[in-house]
């Protein structure tokens, strides 16, 4: 798969799921001790969403979405998006160590995911109301 093809696939994925999160251009701040509980909750929501996607349950995967995410990525669209990911990048193999940070007042969880053809980072952002406010897939940084 060429870089251009990866960008096209990831670009459509990003357009559908990122909701202008702009993670790549924002400086992340360390999580403070007072924010640890919220970060842990976001991590749990992220892992539950990814588990549901891996089991083909897009309805459960989108359960914690905020209204904007639910509008932009309803369960049927999320199912199609995930199917495209698997068609383009292969079968899911494993997950790496999760990283949590804060970006613009939101907790962000980055989960490296190994597929048979490549490795992708799943980025999930949670708002202060403990809802998923962003979902973005990108190639894992080297």
């Amino acid at each position: 798969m060429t870089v251009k093809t990866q960008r096209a696939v990831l670009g459509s994925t990003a357009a559908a799921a990122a909701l202008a999160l702009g993670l790549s251009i924002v400086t992340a701040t360390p999580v403070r001790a007072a924010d640890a509980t919220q970060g842990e909750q976001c991590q749990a929501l992220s892992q539950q969403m990814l588990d549901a996607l891996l089991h083909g349950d897009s309805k459960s995967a989108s359960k914690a979405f905020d209204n904007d995410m639910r509008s932009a990525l309803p369960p049927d669209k999320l199912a199609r998006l995930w199917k495209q990911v698997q068609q383009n990048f292969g079968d899911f193999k494993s997950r790496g160590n999760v990283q949590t940070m804060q970006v613009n007042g939101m907790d962000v969880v980055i989960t490296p995911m190994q597929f048979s053809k490549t490795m992708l980072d799943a980025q999930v952002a949670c708002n202060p109301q403990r809802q998923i406010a962003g979902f973005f897939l990108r190639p894992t940084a080297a």
Side-chain angles (χ1 to χ4, degrees):
M1 179 176 295
T2 66
V3 172
K4 186 175 182 181
T5 305
Q6 283 183 329
R7 283 187 188 152
V9 171
L10 290 172
S12 65
T13 302
L19 296 177
L21 193 55
L23 293 174
S24 61
I25 59 172
V26 179
T27 304
T29 57
V31 176
R32 298 182 311 245
D35 298 328
T37 301
Q38 187 170 333
E40 290 168 2
Q41 290 173 343
C42 186
Q43 185 172 337
L45 286 175
S46 173
Q47 299 312 303
Q48 289 167 4
M49 183 193 81
L50 294 173
D51 286 343
L53 281 175
L54 292 170
H55 288 98
D57 187 356
S58 60
K59 187 174 180 179
S60 292
S62 61
K63 185 178 177 181
F65 284 5
D66 70 4
N67 289 335
D68 290 338
M69 279 292 293
R70 202 169 286 120
S71 294
L73 204 56
D76 60 326
K77 193 172 184 178
L78 180 59
R80 287 191 308 271
L81 176 107
W82 192 251
K83 187 173 183 172
Q84 284 180 335
V85 168
Q86 292 174 316
Q87 287 172 344
N88 288 301
F89 303 109
D91 294 330
F92 171 76
K93 299 295 182 186
S94 64
R95 291 185 214 182
N97 294 329
V98 174
Q99 297 175 359
T100 304
M101 63 186 76
Q102 283 200 335
V103 179
N104 292 338
M106 288 210 256
D107 288 298
V108 177
V109 177
I110 301 171
T111 305
M113 300 181 76
Q114 180 67 56
F115 291 84
S116 58
K117 296 179 184 176
T118 195
M119 188 138 184
L120 299 175
D121 283 342
Q123 296 179 164
V124 175
C126 300
N127 63 23
Q129 291 76 36
R130 295 173 176 81
Q131 298 170 313
I132 294 175
F135 174 50
F136 185 81
L137 292 168
R138 65 181 174 115
T140 298

